Amino acid sequence: MSINLDQFSAANKVTVDSLLSVANTALASAERIAALNLNTARSVLEDTVSGAKAAMGAKDAKEALSIQASLAQPNIEKAVSYARSVSEITAQNQEEFTKLIQAQFADFQKTAADLLEKATKSAPAGSEAAVSAFKNAFAAANTAFGNMSSVAKQFAETAQTQMTSAADATIKAVSKK
């Protein structure tokens, strides 16, 4: 079986398109994280200056401590919100990469199935056992990939749920104080 120039060109185009899609996804995620970090840094700076001004305007040490204590809750809530945002961006990025990988694997499966079908039709007499073994290995690989994808998705969902629960628990614990 020979590969002609059109097939080779098409395969290269698909590879370049896939790499470009991965790069764009990674850059979009990095851009969102950078924007989040800049906004968070700006907010922290503004809150710090505001808190310092308020503390310096206090009439006595007790009032200054009270002002500082009143700033703790909003700061914890902002930290939790930041962590949630990072987690959300990461989860979305992981979802996009998973979709890309699944699409690539689906293309690979189709191509491999077509090649396997062609090989089966042109296999010499007496090679049925080898062809059958190869088909079984191919089916097992497909099943393994499906199981791996399912486990990865469950892991990501569980991690996201635990992150949300931990954040909620932190806010509740601080609110009770």
Side-chain angles (χ1 to χ4, degrees):
M1 183 174 134
S2 65
I3 297 178
N4 67 33
L5 189 57
D6 290 337
Q7 289 172 320
F8 184 72
S9 178
N12 282 337
K13 183 184 181 317
V14 168
T15 301
V16 169
D17 288 346
S18 295
L19 290 173
L20 185 59
S21 184
V22 167
N24 283 333
T25 299
L27 288 172
S29 178
E31 183 179 4
R32 290 178 63 200
I33 292 287
L36 176 65
N37 287 340
L38 287 172
N39 290 335
T40 300
R42 182 179 297 116
S43 176
V44 166
L45 180 62
E46 290 170 357
D47 291 347
T48 301
V49 169
S50 175
K53 285 181 180 179
M56 288 190 304
K59 295 177 178 110
D60 57 25
K62 184 177 180 181
E63 185 180 350
L65 288 173
S66 175
I67 290 170
Q68 289 298 323
S70 71
L71 297 174
Q73 177 69 25
N75 287 337
I76 290 172
E77 289 174 1
K78 287 178 183 178
V80 169
S81 175
Y82 172 81
R84 281 184 180 158
S85 295
V86 169
S87 177
E88 178 183 306
I89 291 168
T90 303
Q92 289 171 352
N93 194 40
Q94 185 263 342
E95 185 179 324
E96 285 298 314
F97 280 130
T98 299
K99 287 178 185 176
L100 290 170
I101 290 169
Q102 287 174 337
Q104 286 296 311
F105 192 73
D107 288 345
F108 168 76
Q109 284 177 310
K110 182 182 179 314
T111 301
D114 290 345
L115 289 173
L116 183 59
E117 184 63 32
K118 289 177 184 176
T120 300
K121 289 179 181 177
S122 63
S127 63
E128 292 82 13
V131 170
S132 177
F134 189 74
K135 283 183 178 182
N136 288 338
F138 183 69
N142 287 337
T143 300
F145 181 78
N147 291 340
M148 183 181 68
S149 294
S150 177
V151 167
K153 183 176 180 181
Q154 289 173 352
F155 177 78
E157 289 171 355
T158 300
Q160 184 69 30
T161 300
Q162 289 177 349
M163 170 64 187
T164 301
S165 296
D168 291 343
T170 301
I171 290 175
K172 286 178 186 175
V174 171
S175 296
K176 291 180 182 179
K177 290 184 178 184

